[in-house]
Amino acid sequence: MQRRPPTPGRTTPSTSRTRTTAIALTTAACTIGAVLFAAGPADAATRHVLPDSTPTWATSANDAGTVAASTDVEGEVYLPLQDQRGAEALATAVSTPGSARYRKPLSPSAWIAKYAPTKADADQVTGFLRAQGLSITAVPASHEYVVFRGPASVVNSVLGVSLHQYQHAGRTLVAPSSAPSLPASVAGLVSGVSVDQGRLLTHPELVQQGETPATSTPARSLKQQATAPTGIQAKCSQYDGQHTATVPAAYGKTSVHTFACGYVPKQIRSAYGVDGLAAKGVQGQGQTVAIIDAYASPSIVHDTNSYSVQNGEPALTSATFAQRIPSPAQFTDQALCQQPSGWQGEETLDVQSVHAVAPAAKILYVGGTNCGGGLDVAMSKILDQGLANLVSNSYGDIGENVPLSSIRGQENLHVQAAGEGIGLYFSSGDNGDESAALGSAQPDFPASSPWVTSVGGTSLGIGKDDRKTFETGWGDVLDQIVSSDRGNVYSTPLPGGLVGGGAGGGRSTLFDQPAYQKGVVPASLAGGKRVSPDLAALADPYTGFSIGIRPITDDSTLAVGAFENETYGGTSLASPLTAALSALVQQSTHTRLGFANPTLYATYRAAPTAFSDVRPPRSPIALAYTSATSGKDYLVTLDHDTSLTTAKGYDDVTGLGAVSFTGMTQVARR
């Protein structure tokens, strides 16, 4: 994979590794045979700065002052791989058709032995951190990072920084006011450190009907000034076209279809062309789909089984569901991470959508202790033990606005997964190009990593016969319908000004264009960079998926309320749908897809019709929506996704096109 060229004032992953290697060489005499459990006088005088370990938002303009000495802070120290180039070469060879190593991955133990940092190095780093008064909360079997916690005063001393509070993304976050450093005897073992709370802005990529998409804060209900009732009262439709509503003239029509109540499993299976597989004994048997989120729903099995009874689906059993989760006492950073209640809907959506598509597949839920280092630990549990070869990750950062040391640390996990033949699917985001939050267009990380499959979103109509009636790019813009002396009118010119969410994607600000995208992604989109997404699936909440949940009513006790149905969308839905379809493909073809991107793009070059190309509709598609909570009426116009647009061929909303069983089967057979 090509790496990005150096940018003035910014160190790239490749140049940073070079600098780290140089540090290691110049400090070899200090590290060989040295006792690192305490920093001696020489260390105090010879500290080395760790590059790329401060966030770009930690500026004097955003500075809100120093943090209290007792403030509890989480951090991660990243260790470099033994052979970065070799690990990337292996990941490429294992994933690329025509290679002698194609689909011949290493076992987790073999990958760790050959490429991971050594246990001795990790032990030296953890010994040093403990001796300075920090608590070690996790070190994975791959030794790629060390997660620690401690009071700000101790972190300041260990890293040679002053931790400040900064205003960023509507939050007050802790970050160092200058670049962290470590004594020379330790710095040679380390590639970077993350000690800012920007990682804790990682959020679930889901949107409920009637809500704006979540960014750094929980999703919120759409609100407008109070208005007189319009009498439209759009009723939700069990299938596309079941109900219509009369609206003010829009796009040459005054009668439009209404929003979906929420599709159920049998409709999803039919729309994706897998409804006939059960008769052939293909329902995901022998496949394990892992799901990673923060925290854990206390009622996930009860909820899913109630939902299954409601819809005539098989219940979860010990053969189809398992979880590895922290105890509630281990949950950390709950306020910044949107609380367990903020992630409960995500886990429920992930589990129930995978079970809907592949009801006989085993679902392994792995929960993080928080939305920062805890998610890395959850990922490492799967990779280091080979617990699954398909992993759905429905979360993301706000763009690529994360320090490069943290990005490199997470990217190494992606390289490990590819080398082990494990496919990572990441939701591409729910806020389009993120320009509203960041002031410039960029895709969300980790979906923008060149080593994962980024899943964008579509709006999907499913008709009375359970077949697709339309599919276009997910990008919802709402216009409230209000009453006036001229009758019902739109509050603003069409399509409106309320953004109801849209698939993330676009040109990376960090990663060079991977070889597999060359010749497929238009140069006008790429500009020499990685572009996401790669595929797409249903994500629009107004054509969304119905789930069953007993919502958490108290985050401190994890008490839950009564069972209810909710309708969700977001690329948080698209990612598990894609992983579940891949599980069916793997079972039916007896093939392990692994990191699919090189084969996806190779298949597209050879047979572009294998993918369902998602294009702009011939005429605008709009749905009538009435909020069940406010009673307000809206027209929802589809396929309006910030600066991202659908187009013939590859586009930055849906990638190569909508995922399908037939298309992924062709990918598996290459």
Side-chain angles (χ1 to χ4, degrees):
M1 300 292 174
Q2 293 188 349
R3 312 297 301 174
R4 63 186 183 279
T7 300
R10 196 169 193 179
T11 306
T12 70
S14 54
T15 55
S16 177
R17 280 195 291 272
T18 302
R19 291 167 64 177
T20 302
T21 302
I23 291 170
L25 292 173
T26 58
T27 60
C30 299
T31 59
I32 296 174
V35 178
L36 299 181
F37 297 147
D43 287 326
T46 57
R47 296 181 69 91
H48 283 292
V49 171
L50 301 175
D52 306 327
S53 295
T54 54
T56 57
W57 45 262
T59 64
S60 57
N62 298 331
D63 198 331
T66 57
V67 302
S70 60
T71 302
D72 185 50
V73 177
E74 177 184 86
E76 283 184 76
V77 174
Y78 304 101
L79 282 69
L81 300 183
Q82 294 182 56
D83 180 3
Q84 183 75 41
R85 290 186 178 180
E88 293 185 5
L90 171 73
T92 300
V94 165
S95 309
T96 303
S99 164
R101 288 217 59 144
Y102 184 46
R103 291 180 176 163
K104 298 176 182 177
L106 290 182
S107 68
S109 59
W111 190 93
I112 290 171
K114 187 172 180 63
Y115 297 110
T118 65
K119 184 178 185 299
D121 284 355
D123 287 346
Q124 288 181 319
V125 172
T126 56
F128 167 77
L129 295 174
R130 283 195 181 101
Q132 307 308 307
L134 295 172
S135 298
I136 305 302
T137 57
V139 182
S142 64
H143 318 121
E144 293 177 59
Y145 53 86
V146 176
V147 185
F148 65 84
R149 296 194 80 93
S153 58
V154 177
V155 174
N156 285 340
S157 175
V158 174
L159 296 179
V161 298
S162 175
L163 292 176
H164 284 221
Q165 299 180 90
Y166 294 90
Q167 301 298 321
H168 172 63
R171 297 293 188 92
T172 300
L173 305 174
V174 172
S177 60
S178 59
S181 64
L182 284 171
S185 54
V186 183
L189 306 175
V190 171
S191 60
V193 64
S194 169
V195 73
D196 70 273
Q197 291 181 330
R199 280 294 305 276
L200 302 183
L201 296 181
T202 300
H203 55 279
E205 308 273 25
L206 81 167
V207 185
Q208 190 175 1
Q209 279 183 354
E211 291 184 337
T212 57
T215 52
S216 60
T217 57
R220 56 200 184 276
S221 297
L222 295 173
K223 293 181 179 180
Q224 286 281 10
Q225 60 189 18
T227 58
T230 63
I232 290 175
Q233 297 179 333
K235 295 174 60 178
C236 72
S237 293
Q238 300 289 340
Y239 55 86
D240 180 38
Q242 181 186 21
H243 299 298
T244 59
T246 300
V247 298
Y251 314 120
K253 299 178 180 179
T254 56
S255 179
V256 298
H257 291 182
T258 65
F259 67 106
C261 301
Y263 297 131
V264 297
K266 71 180 187 66
Q267 290 176 293
I268 295 294
R269 289 195 296 272
S270 178
Y272 281 100
V274 298
D275 49 327
L277 294 180
K280 302 176 182 178
V282 177
Q283 292 184 294
Q285 292 92 332
Q287 304 298 312
T288 299
V289 178
I291 293 167
I292 296 175
D293 290 312
Y295 310 126
S297 168
S299 55
I300 185 62
V301 174
H302 192 193
D303 293 346
T304 303
N305 287 346
S306 296
Y307 176 80
S308 295
V309 169
Q310 183 184 59
N311 291 288
E313 299 292 323
L316 293 177
T317 67
S318 59
T320 57
F321 185 77
Q323 52 186 345
R324 298 194 179 194
I325 56 177
S327 68
Q330 295 173 299
F331 294 174
T332 60
D333 304 302
Q334 295 178 61
L336 277 174
C337 287
Q338 303 185 27
Q339 302 286 358
S341 59
W343 286 81
Q344 185 194 19
E346 178 61 68
E347 179 184 347
T348 307
L349 176 65
D350 293 344
V351 170
Q352 293 178 5
S353 59
V354 170
H355 192 55
V357 173
K362 182 175 183 178
I363 298 170
L364 174 65
Y365 176 74
V366 185
T369 55
N370 67 1
C371 61
L375 294 177
D376 290 345
V377 175
M379 178 71 77
S380 288
K381 287 179 182 178
I382 297 167
L383 303 186
D384 294 349
Q385 299 175 58
L387 300 178
N389 56 41
L390 296 164
V391 187
S392 178
N393 306 272
S394 293
Y395 55 84
D397 300 314
I398 303 174
E400 297 175 319
N401 200 28
V402 181
L404 287 175
S405 62
S406 179
I407 292 225
R408 284 194 301 271
Q410 293 178 72
E411 190 185 1
N412 281 345
L413 293 176
H414 308 160
V415 171
Q416 178 186 358
E420 294 177 5
I422 298 173
L424 302 182
Y425 296 87
F426 274 90
S427 54
S428 72
D430 298 341
N431 293 279
D433 63 14
E434 294 287 11
S435 58
L438 299 175
S440 62
Q442 55 187 269
D444 286 358
F445 181 83
S448 65
S449 167
W451 300 101
V452 310
T453 299
S454 174
V455 186
T458 68
S459 301
L460 178 65
I462 302 179
K464 189 175 183 179
D465 61 357
D466 292 341
R467 301 299 177 184
K468 290 184 184 182
T469 55
F470 69 84
E471 188 164 28
T472 191
W474 175 42
D476 293 331
V477 178
L478 285 75
D479 206 341
Q480 188 180 358
I481 302 170
V482 297
S483 179
S484 74
D485 55 6
R486 296 178 287 114
N488 292 339
V489 296
Y490 295 107
S491 59
T492 59
L494 290 171
L498 283 171
V499 177
R507 180 189 303 171
S508 174
T509 64
L510 300 175
F511 301 107
D512 285 347
Q513 185 178 48
Y516 58 75
Q517 284 198 322
K518 292 181 178 179
V520 174
V521 178
S524 58
L525 289 181
K529 296 294 184 181
R530 155 76 159 140
V531 183
S532 56
D534 301 300
L535 291 171
L538 172 61
D540 189 342
Y542 298 95
T543 65
F545 182 69
S546 172
I547 67 165
I549 188 171
R550 292 172 176 84
I552 293 173
T553 57
D554 187 326
D555 280 299
S556 60
T557 65
L558 300 183
V560 299
F563 181 81
E564 61 185 53
N565 289 110
E566 297 178 355
T567 301
Y568 281 107
T571 51
S572 278
L573 172 59
S575 179
L577 287 177
T578 301
L581 281 166
S582 298
L584 297 180
V585 168
Q586 289 191 158
Q587 182 197 354
S588 66
T589 61
H590 308 288
T591 300
R592 181 170 175 163
L593 289 168
F595 171 48
N597 283 15
T599 315
L600 284 173
Y601 286 85
T603 302
Y604 184 88
R605 290 186 186 92
T609 56
F611 300 86
S612 179
D613 192 16
V614 181
R615 306 183 186 186
R618 293 180 179 178
S619 58
I621 299 174
L623 304 173
Y625 168 70
T626 297
S627 169
T629 55
S630 70
K632 295 172 184 175
D633 300 312
Y634 301 88
L635 187 77
V636 185
T637 301
L638 313 184
D639 196 40
H640 280 65
D641 187 9
T642 57
S643 67
L644 312 178
T645 58
T646 53
K648 180 180 179 180
Y650 180 94
D651 62 61
D652 50 15
V653 178
T654 66
L656 297 171
V659 67
S660 70
F661 177 79
T662 55
M664 292 301 286
T665 297
Q666 290 196 45
V667 171
R669 289 175 173 162
R670 281 197 65 85

